[in-house]
C-alpha cells in the first residue's frame, strides 16, 4: 500500500486502499475506475474512484428482461441479488450509517430513461439522495469506505462498532440513486463527503474492469 503526504489526525491517508470484496457469490462489475476516471462521470461527493457491483445469478444475469420490464418499473425484489449479504471490505469502525430509506422500484428500458432525467434533482438534494441507505467504515489510517444503496432496515451494525473484514453489514438494496439492486463502494479521506478527497482502491488480483464477473468465496 502506498502513502500520500496528507494526514488525518495522526495517521497518513493511503494513496490506494487495498480492500477485500464486500460480498460472496457472483457479482458483475460496472462503472469501474479501471475503465475511466472519474468512474461515474463526476467528482461530486468524492466519487472519482467509486465502483459498482451488481449481484447476478449462476448464469451471470440479473432479472430476466421482458417486454413489460422495458416499459414499466419493476419490483426490486424481482432481482436475484436483492437482499444478498453485503460484507465489510476492511477492518475498522462504523462512523456513519443510514437505514431508513425504502427500496424503490427498479428501472430498465424506457423507465430508466425517465429516471435518468431526474438524476440532477437527486444530486442537488445531497449525498443521502444519491447514496440511499449506507454504512461508512473508518480504517486504522483514517480513510473511510462507504457502501451504498443498501436494503431498507437491513443494516446489522451500529455507529461506533468495530468490524472485521468479511463481517455482515447489511443487504444489497435499491435505495438512493439506483436503477436496480446493486452495491456502490467508494473510499474517501474522511467521513464528510463534502470536504473529503477521493481515494483509489484495489482488490485481490487487481481492480476489475467493467463486465468482469467476480466469484468471491
Amino acid at each position: 500500500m502506498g502513502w500520500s503526504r496528507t494526514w488525518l489526525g495522526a495517521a497518513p491517508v493511503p494513496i490506494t486502499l487495498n480492500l477485500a470484496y464486500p460480498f460472496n457469490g457472483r457479482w458483475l462489475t460496472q462503472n469501474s475506475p479501471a475503465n475511466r476516471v472519474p468512474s461515474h462521470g463526476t467528482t461530486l461527493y468524492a466519487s472519482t474512484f467509486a465502483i459498482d457491483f451488481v449481484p447476478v445469478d449462476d448464469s451471470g444475469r440479473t432479472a430476466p428482461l421482458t417486454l413489460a420490464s422495458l416499459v414499466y418499473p419493476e419490483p426490486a425484489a424481482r432481482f436475484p441479488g436483492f437482499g444478498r449479504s453485503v460484507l465489510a471490505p476492511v477492518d475498522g469502525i462504523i462512523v456513519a450509517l443510514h437505514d431508513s430509506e425504502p427500496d424503490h422500484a427498479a428501472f430498465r428500458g424506457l423507465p430508466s430513461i425517465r429516471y435518468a432525467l431526474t438524476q440532477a434533482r437527486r444530486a442537488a438534494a445531497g449525498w443521502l439522495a444519491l447514496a440511499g441507505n449506507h454504512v461508512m467504515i473508518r480504517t486504522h489510517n483514517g480513510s473511510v469506505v462507504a457502501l451504498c444503496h443498501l436494503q431498507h432496515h437491513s443494516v446489522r451494525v451500529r455507529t461506533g462498532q468495530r468490524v472485521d473484514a468479511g463481517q455482515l453489514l447489511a443487504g444489497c438494496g435499491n435505495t438512493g440513486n439506483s436503477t436496480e439492486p446493486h452495491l456502490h463502494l467508494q473510499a474517501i479521506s474522511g467521513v464528510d463527503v463534502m470536504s473529503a478527497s477521493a481515494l483509489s482502491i484495489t482488490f485481490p488480483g487487481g481492480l476489475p474492469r467493467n463486465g468482469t464477473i467476480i466469484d468471491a468465496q
Side-chain angles (χ1 to χ4, degrees), residues 18-151:
N18 295 300
L19 302 175
Y21 282 110
F23 47 73
N24 290 321
R26 296 170 65 84
W27 296 62
L28 174 68
T29 307
Q30 291 187 344
N31 296 318
S32 173
N35 287 79
R36 69 167 183 171
V37 175
S39 57
H40 287 61
T42 180
T43 60
L44 189 66
Y45 302 119
S47 62
T48 304
F49 303 109
I51 192 168
D52 292 339
F53 295 106
V54 180
V56 294
D57 61 19
D58 290 341
S59 63
R61 299 175 181 174
T62 62
L65 192 63
T66 66
L67 180 59
S69 63
L70 295 175
V71 179
Y72 302 106
E74 305 168 84
R78 183 171 181 265
F79 289 72
F82 183 67
R84 193 178 292 182
S85 295
V86 173
L87 312 177
V90 67
D91 298 343
I93 296 174
I94 305 298
V95 290
L97 60 82
H98 186 78
D99 190 40
S100 61
E101 300 300 312
D103 292 280
H104 56 71
F107 305 105
R108 296 189 287 181
L110 291 176
S112 71
I113 297 174
R114 291 193 293 268
Y115 187 70
L117 293 175
T118 63
Q119 181 165 322
R121 183 177 65 198
R122 289 187 294 279
W127 160 255
L128 183 59
L130 295 179
N133 297 326
H134 61 275
V135 170
M136 302 178 81
I137 304 171
R138 185 176 63 216
T139 73
H140 72 282
N141 53 53
S143 58
V144 173
V145 179
L147 302 103
C148 306
H149 309 317
L150 304 176
Q151 185 183 23

